[in-house]
Amino acid sequence: MNARLLAISIEQETDIILARQRTRSIAALLGFDSQDQTRITTAVSEIVRNALEYGRGGRIEYGIDGVEPLQALTISVEDQGPGIADPEAVLAGRHQSTTGMGVGIIGARRLMDRFELHSKRGTGTKVTMAKVLPRRSQPVTPAGLKRLVAGIDVQEMADPVAEVRRQNREMLTQLDQLTQRQGELNEVNRELQDTNRGVVALYAELEERADHLRRADQLKSRFLSNMSHEFRTPLNSILSLSRLLLSHSDGTLLPEQHKQVQFIRKSAENLMELVNDLLDLAKVEAGKTVVNPRDFVVEDLFSALRGMLRPLLIGDSVLLLFEDATDVPPMNGDEGKVSQILRNFVSNALKFTERGEVRVWAQYDRDADTVTFKVRDTGIGIAAEDHGRIWEEFSQVEHALQRRVKGTGLGLPLSRRLAELLRGSVAVDSEPGQGSVFSLTLPRRFDPMAAERDTREIWALDAARLPVLIVENNPADSFSLERALSRSRYQPIAVRSIAEAEAALEQLSPAAVILDVLLDGEESWPLLLKLRQSDKWGRLPVIVVSTSEEEGKAYGFGADAVFSKPIDPAVLVRALDEHTGVNSVTRVLVIDDEEISRYLVRQLLPRGAFDIREAATAIAGLESAQAEPPDVILLDLNMAPMDGFELLDRLAATPGPPAIVVTSVSIDDRLRERLSRASSVVSKYDLTTDTLVNAIRQAMDGEATRVS
Amino acid sequence: MDQIPILKIGDCLLVSIQVDMHDRLALQLQDDLTNKIVTSRARGVMIDISALEIVDSFIGRMLNNIAAMSKVLDAVTVVVGMRPAVAITLVELGLALTGVRTALNVDKGLELIRHLIDDEQDPDDRREE
C-alpha cells in the first residue's frame, strides 16, 4: 500500500517547527516510541532546514508505503534550489558545512532506516527517507489511514495559529488556481473573439458575393430586355417583307419560291414569339412590369378568354369548357395579366391534350379572400419529379407529343412570375396519363402597397460617387442614361415611378434628379412641383427630359435644365456638374511622342468626365503643365530629346499634379526605383478604360490625401 | 515576537527553553545571553532544555556557540535536563557537544557551576579537570 498522509509546504522558518510538530504527531499516531519519534523528528528538522536554507523552501510529504508487516513511514522533502554539486561527497562525510555542524545529512541518514538523496546542480534536491513501522503497532489499513489523517487534522485544529496559517496557505493556493483559471478563461475568450471576427468577416464576404450575384442578375435581366427590343426591329422587317413578297404585289413568285418565303415567314414568326416571351420574362425579372389594378368580373374575363382561345381548337377531338363563374365576387387586380396567365395555362393544356376536354373554372375562398382559377386537361400529364422543373425557363419535359408541339419553354415560367407579381401563386397537380390541373390563386383584392413594398429596390450607394436619381419608366432610355453616367462621378439610381422616386429621395438624398416627363400613365410635373415647393428639396438640381415643345413649361415648373432625347452623355455630365456645383471633369495632360498612344488614351478616357490636352514632346508638356496645371499628367518614358525620367524629375522639382507613367517598357526593380516619383505605372499592353480611369482616380485620391 | 526569558540567580544566569525553538529565536537567545553576561557580570550560565523534544544540529551548534562565547566572557555554561531520547538521538546524529558541560537537573547544574567557578579561580586545577 502506498498512501499519502499529508503535505506541508516549507516557506519560512516557522515552517520548520510546524514540520517538526507534524512529524512528531504522525510518528506518535503510527505507534513509534518516544525515542523513534525524536529520531524521526530530528532527521526531518535537519533535512527541512537544509531545504529552507539551501533550496529557498520546498515541500515535505508524509506517506505510508510497503505491505504489512513491513510498512514504513516515508517522508520526502523536495526543494527547487540550486541542488548539491556532489551528493556523494556529502553522504561520504567529506563535505564541510559552513553553517551547521556538518552532520545534518549524514546524521539524518543514521537516524532513519532508509535514506535516499537525489540532487543535481540546477534541478533541486529530493530527500526520501523512511522508518519502518514498529512491529507492535497496528498495520495501517485504508480505514486506519483515514482515521490517521483525521487525527492529524484534529491536532492541527488544536493549534489556532497554525490552523489560520494553514487556511491562509490554502486560500493562497486557491487564489493561485483561480488566477490560473482566469488566465485560461481569458485565453478561451480571446480565441472566441478571434473566431467571431472570422465569422463576421466571412459574413461580410458572403454579403458581398450575394450583392455581386444580385447585380449580375439585374444586369442579365436588363441585357435581356434591351436585347429583346433590338431583336424585334429586324424581325418585324423580316415579317413585313416576307408578307409583302407573299402578297405578290411586286410580281409573282414561283410556287417553289412562294413555299420558301412561307418557311422564312414561319421561322420569323417562331422567333418573334420566342423574343416576345423572353421580353416579357425579362421585364418581370427586371421589375419593370407595372401592375394596373382595376375592378373586374370573372365571368367577363372568361367570356373574353373563350373568344380569344377558340382559334386554338383544331378539330372536334378536344372541347374547351368554361364553367359558370357568376358566384365569384368581383375582383380587383390586373385583368390583363390574369388573362395572360390563364391563356398560357389553356394553350399549354390544349397542346398536350389529343382528345378529351380542357375545363376552366374559378373558386372563391371566403376565409382567405382568394380566388383560385383552375385549368384541367385530359392530356399526357406530367410525372411528379418534373413538377418543379416545368416552372423553370427553357425546360421542356421529354415526350413524343412534346417534340411535335412547339413551344418556347417560357410560358409557364412567365406565368409564375406574373402570378408572383400579382401577389398570387401557381401550382400543378398531375400524373402521367391522368391529365393535369394547373391552378392560379390570387388575392381577391390586389394590394398595391404590398406589391410596392416587395418590389422596392435596396440601393447600394457607392460612397465615392454622388447619387443621381433617374426617374424614367422606359427601360431602354433609363439604361442609356445610366450608361451615360457610368464613368462619371455620379452614381445613377434608376426608378420607374413617382412613388418610387419619392421613396428614393427620402432614402438616398441624391445630388440631382433626372426626370422624364412622361411616365406610365402619369406625368411627372407634380413631382417637380412638389420638389420645388418643399424646403428640403427646393434647391435640388432637377434636369427634365422632355420634348422640345414643353421646354418652357419645364422651366416654368422650376427645372434647372431641359433636354430632349437622345441626350449626349458629355452634355448631361456637364449640366450635372454645373448645377450640382461639383467639378467632375478631370483635366488630363498626355505627354507622349507617339501619336497613336495619345489617340488611344483619348479614345479610352470617357469624354464627359475627362478633358484631355496633349503634348508631343517632354518640353512642350512641361510648358503646358506650367502654363495651365492639369489635374493629372500621363507621360511616356521613351521620348527625345528629354525623356520621361528627366521629365519626372523636373515635374517633381515644384509641387504639381500627380504623374502616371504610361509605357511599353517592362518595369524591373531598378526602373521602379527611378520611377518612385510617379504615382503609378501603367503598361501600354494593359491599356484599357478601366486601368486608366482607376490609375487616374488613385493618383488623384492620393494627391487629395497628401494635400490634406 | 517570542523571546526566551533569561533569569538571574546570584551570579548565575538561568535560561529555560520552554518553546519549540525556531532558528531565529535560537540566534536571538545567543545574542541576548552574551549581552546579559556582560551587563550582569554573571559567571555561570545554565540552560534548561528539559522541555525540548528534539535537539538537532542547529540547536546543538547554538548550545556549543553559547558555551564557547560565555567562556570567552569568563562564564561557564551548563546544559541541564536533557531528555534521554534527545541524548540518544544527539549521539546517533553524531553531535558530540564537546564544549558543553551537562548536568542531569537544575540542582546538579547549579552545583556544577559553583564547582566550576571555584575551580576557575585556580587555573592549575582547571587543567586537571
Side-chain angles (χ1 to χ4, degrees):
Chain A
M1 183 177 86
N2 285 315
R4 229 187 71 169
L5 285 176
L6 182 70
I8 306 170
S9 70
I10 298 152
E11 280 147 24
Q12 55 198 28
E13 230 176 66
T14 47
D15 290 333
I16 300 179
I17 296 177
L18 187 73
R20 283 209 291 255
Q21 286 167 351
R22 290 284 170 281
T23 309
R24 193 161 195 104
S25 58
I26 288 170
L29 283 166
L30 285 171
F32 286 106
D33 62 20
S34 117
Q35 177 60 58
D36 273 342
Q37 287 173 27
T38 306
R39 284 193 180 110
I40 296 168
T41 309
T42 309
V44 165
S45 181
E46 297 294 341
I47 301 303
V48 167
R49 179 179 292 106
N50 279 348
L52 188 66
E53 204 162 314
Y54 303 115
R56 293 186 298 275
R59 193 174 163 76
I60 178 166
E61 266 187 44
Y62 301 89
I64 300 288
D65 81 355
V67 279
E68 45 185 298
L70 258 179
Q71 282 182 317
L73 165 69
T74 60
I75 301 167
S76 68
V77 180
E78 210 170 342
D79 67 50
Q80 306 299 322
I84 300 170
D86 189 2
E88 297 301 324
V90 172
L91 287 174
R94 292 196 300 270
H95 178 71
Q96 278 297 313
S97 169
T98 52
T99 49
M101 301 197 62
V103 295
I105 288 175
I106 310 169
R109 185 164 71 161
R110 275 202 289 268
L111 295 172
M112 302 297 281
D113 292 339
R114 214 160 65 219
F115 189 92
E116 286 164 38
L117 173 70
H118 293 287
S119 181
K120 250 189 237 161
R121 269 255 172 259
T123 56
T125 308
K126 182 174 186 180
V127 173
T128 310
M129 33 193 191
K131 191 94 179 161
V132 177
L133 296 194
R135 200 156 296 196
R136 58 192 167 77
S137 75
Q138 292 277 321
V140 179
T141 57
L145 192 75
K146 221 170 166 184
R147 264 202 312 279
L148 207 62
V149 174
I152 297 168
D153 273 346
V154 167
Q155 292 206 336
E156 263 180 82
M157 295 292 273
D159 181 355
V161 178
E163 177 63 14
V164 166
R165 202 177 302 140
R166 191 182 64 80
Q167 283 180 355
N168 263 343
R169 208 164 301 150
E170 260 172 35
M171 207 166 74
L172 279 177
T173 318
Q174 275 172 359
L175 270 177
D176 221 37
Q177 282 174 352
L178 264 181
T179 315
Q180 199 180 334
R181 199 80 50 85
Q182 177 87 24
E184 278 166 23
L185 267 179
N186 280 343
E187 189 60 34
V188 171
N189 205 20
R190 200 163 27 243
E191 243 170 70
L192 272 177
Q193 272 175 349
D194 283 352
T195 313
N196 204 20
R197 254 197 295 282
V199 169
V200 169
L202 263 178
Y203 194 76
E205 206 174 301
L206 275 178
E207 194 85 322
E208 202 179 312
R209 292 268 164 87
D211 197 46
H212 276 305
L213 278 178
R214 222 171 7 244
R215 272 190 214 174
D217 195 51
Q218 250 175 22
L219 267 180
K220 184 204 78 182
S221 299
R222 208 172 290 171
F223 168 79
L224 273 179
S225 95
N226 283 286
M227 285 314 288
S228 305
H229 272 293
E230 309 296 320
F231 282 144
R232 262 209 255 198
T233 321
L235 268 175
N236 272 328
S237 310
I238 296 171
L239 283 173
S240 329
L241 284 173
S242 53
R243 199 179 299 126
L244 200 67
L245 280 174
L246 288 172
S247 71
H248 298 243
S249 53
D250 290 321
T252 42
L253 296 173
L254 294 175
E256 203 55 31
Q257 286 172 329
H258 186 90
K259 212 182 201 170
Q260 288 162 359
V261 175
Q262 262 182 332
F263 277 130
I264 293 174
R265 204 194 137 138
K266 187 76 199 151
S267 305
E269 275 171 354
N270 285 341
L271 190 54
M272 191 69 171
E273 195 187 336
L274 182 62
V275 167
N276 280 343
D277 277 358
L278 210 54
L279 183 62
D280 279 347
L281 190 67
K283 255 187 171 173
V284 177
E285 277 193 349
K288 280 173 181 155
T289 303
V290 180
V291 178
N292 294 314
R294 271 186 301 140
D295 290 336
F296 67 95
V297 179
V298 177
E299 186 63 23
D300 294 347
L301 174 70
F302 277 5
S303 47
L305 277 174
R306 202 178 290 128
M308 260 189 274
L309 293 168
R310 193 167 298 137
L312 289 177
L313 291 168
I314 311 154
D316 305 327
S317 54
V318 182
L319 283 173
L320 175 60
L321 300 169
F322 285 88
E323 286 189 3
D324 179 48
T326 44
D327 55 341
V328 178
M331 289 181 68
N332 177 277
D334 194 324
E335 188 181 0
K337 292 195 171 50
V338 179
S339 165
Q340 196 176 350
I341 297 169
L342 290 180
R343 270 201 317 269
N344 265 324
F345 282 178
V346 172
S347 64
N348 213 46
L350 289 172
K351 262 188 223 167
F352 298 107
T353 308
E354 286 180 302
R355 61 181 59 81
E357 58 167 39
V358 173
R359 185 177 290 267
V360 185
W361 74 99
Q363 287 170 328
Y364 175 58
D365 181 342
R366 196 169 301 277
D367 297 332
D369 199 25
T370 55
V371 177
T372 302
F373 296 89
K374 294 204 172 187
V375 177
R376 190 179 67 203
D377 63 48
T378 54
I380 55 175
I382 304 157
E385 60 263 32
D386 291 323
H387 284 186
R389 209 150 63 84
I390 55 167
W391 303 106
E392 288 166 20
E393 282 96 340
F394 301 110
S395 72
Q396 287 178 339
V397 179
E398 279 300 311
H399 188 271
L401 196 57
Q402 175 72 66
R403 275 191 289 276
R404 195 158 52 74
V405 293
K406 297 210 170 55
T408 60
L410 287 171
L412 290 177
L414 178 61
S415 302
R416 183 173 62 113
R417 303 267 173 177
L418 286 173
E420 283 165 4
L421 197 67
L422 298 174
R423 305 275 137 260
S425 61
V426 289
V428 64
D429 182 18
S430 178
E431 263 178 61
Q434 300 296 308
S436 315
V437 181
F438 281 87
S439 52
L440 162 71
T441 305
L442 292 174
R444 195 179 64 80
R445 301 204 67 80
F446 173 71
D447 180 1
M449 286 320 287
E452 189 70 29
R453 232 188 344 269
D454 287 349
T455 53
R456 181 181 296 172
E457 285 183 56
I458 311 292
W459 291 286
L461 280 187
D462 182 349
R465 301 168 82 194
L466 292 168
V468 170
L469 190 63
I470 298 175
V471 189
E472 169 64 85
N473 71 312
N474 184 330
D477 289 345
S478 173
F479 189 70
S480 71
L481 280 172
E482 285 177 51
R483 262 192 71 100
L485 297 181
S486 62
R487 292 212 180 277
S488 70
R489 289 203 172 175
Y490 302 102
Q491 180 187 9
I493 308 278
V495 297
R496 291 174 297 276
S497 68
I498 288 179
E500 281 182 56
E502 282 171 348
L505 273 172
E506 285 306 321
Q507 211 179 321
L508 302 169
S509 304
V513 176
I514 300 174
L515 191 62
D516 187 10
V517 171
L518 268 181
L519 301 175
D520 267 341
E522 55 184 356
E523 286 194 329
S524 58
W525 301 120
L527 177 64
L528 180 55
L529 205 59
K530 200 169 157 189
L531 282 175
R532 282 295 165 255
Q533 282 167 352
S534 86
D535 294 336
K536 194 172 173 190
W537 306 113
R539 300 174 64 85
L540 181 71
V542 178
I543 294 172
V544 170
V545 180
S546 162
T547 52
S548 50
E549 298 92 67
E550 289 189 305
E551 205 178 296
K553 191 176 176 187
Y555 282 121
F557 273 113
D560 291 286
V562 182
F563 293 120
S564 51
K565 298 175 191 173
I567 301 163
D568 179 3
V571 174
L572 181 66
V573 170
R574 213 170 303 140
L576 281 171
D577 289 346
E578 189 185 320
H579 292 290
T580 54
V582 176
N583 175 20
S584 79
V585 176
T586 310
R587 288 161 304 162
V588 182
L589 174 59
V590 183
I591 308 174
D592 197 324
D593 54 355
E594 278 178 72
E595 200 188 343
I596 299 169
S597 297
R598 299 200 305 269
Y599 173 80
L600 254 178
V601 170
R602 204 163 57 225
Q603 289 301 312
L604 287 173
L605 290 177
R607 203 133 323 152
F610 295 93
D611 173 27
I612 299 165
R613 264 187 298 150
E614 295 172 26
T617 64
I619 295 157
L622 204 56
E623 280 168 3
S624 173
Q626 279 156 357
E628 195 189 336
D631 294 316
V632 66
I633 296 176
L634 303 184
L635 60 95
D636 188 25
L637 285 181
N638 289 336
M639 289 186 287
M642 190 199 291
D643 67 5
F645 296 108
E646 194 181 342
L647 179 60
L648 263 181
D649 290 344
R650 294 256 193 122
L651 284 172
T654 54
I660 298 167
V661 172
V662 182
T663 180
S664 48
V665 179
S666 66
I667 302 296
D668 56 20
D669 289 346
R670 191 179 53 84
L671 273 182
R672 202 177 298 282
E673 205 163 301
R674 293 184 64 190
L675 292 176
S676 58
R677 293 184 201 280
S679 104
S680 62
V681 179
V682 177
S683 165
K684 279 190 184 172
Y685 302 116
D686 188 25
L687 215 53
T688 64
T689 303
D690 280 344
T691 52
L692 262 185
V693 170
N694 281 340
I696 290 174
R697 284 252 162 84
Q698 272 172 14
M700 291 182 60
D701 287 352
E703 185 71 3
T705 48
R706 206 160 54 231
V707 168
S708 63
Chain B
M1 186 72 201
D2 300 331
Q3 200 171 11
I4 296 169
I6 303 169
L7 308 175
K8 189 167 179 280
I9 307 172
D11 56 357
C12 225
L13 295 181
L14 175 63
V15 178
S16 181
I17 303 174
Q18 300 288 337
V19 295
D20 202 348
M21 271 202 299
H22 52 80
D23 297 358
R24 215 169 42 245
L25 195 60
L27 290 173
Q28 199 197 333
L29 174 65
Q30 204 172 292
D31 280 2
D32 289 352
L33 204 53
T34 46
N35 283 331
K36 195 82 176 187
I37 292 172
V38 173
T39 53
S40 66
R41 298 162 189 267
R43 300 292 317 276
V45 175
M46 184 155 62
I47 304 173
D48 171 24
I49 58 167
S50 57
L52 280 192
E53 285 176 330
I54 69 149
V55 172
D56 63 5
S57 62
F58 188 86
I59 299 171
R61 185 168 68 116
M62 192 251 327
L63 293 176
N64 251 351
N65 284 354
I66 289 174
M69 286 170 192
S70 38
K71 191 171 181 184
V72 172
L73 294 171
D74 193 20
V76 292
T77 305
V78 174
V79 172
V80 299
M82 187 183 289
R83 296 184 181 194
V86 171
I88 293 167
T89 308
L90 268 178
V91 173
E92 283 176 354
L93 194 62
L95 271 179
L97 291 189
T98 41
V100 183
R101 298 299 297 261
T102 50
L104 215 54
N105 52 37
V106 178
D107 272 350
K108 294 254 158 103
L110 272 175
E111 214 170 285
L112 179 59
I113 284 176
R114 287 274 145 257
H115 181 65
L116 284 172
I117 291 172
D118 292 345
D119 279 2
E120 287 260 313
Q121 275 147 6
D122 182 358
D124 294 337
D125 284 2
R126 174 85 183 93
R127 198 165 294 132
E128 278 173 17
E129 274 271 323

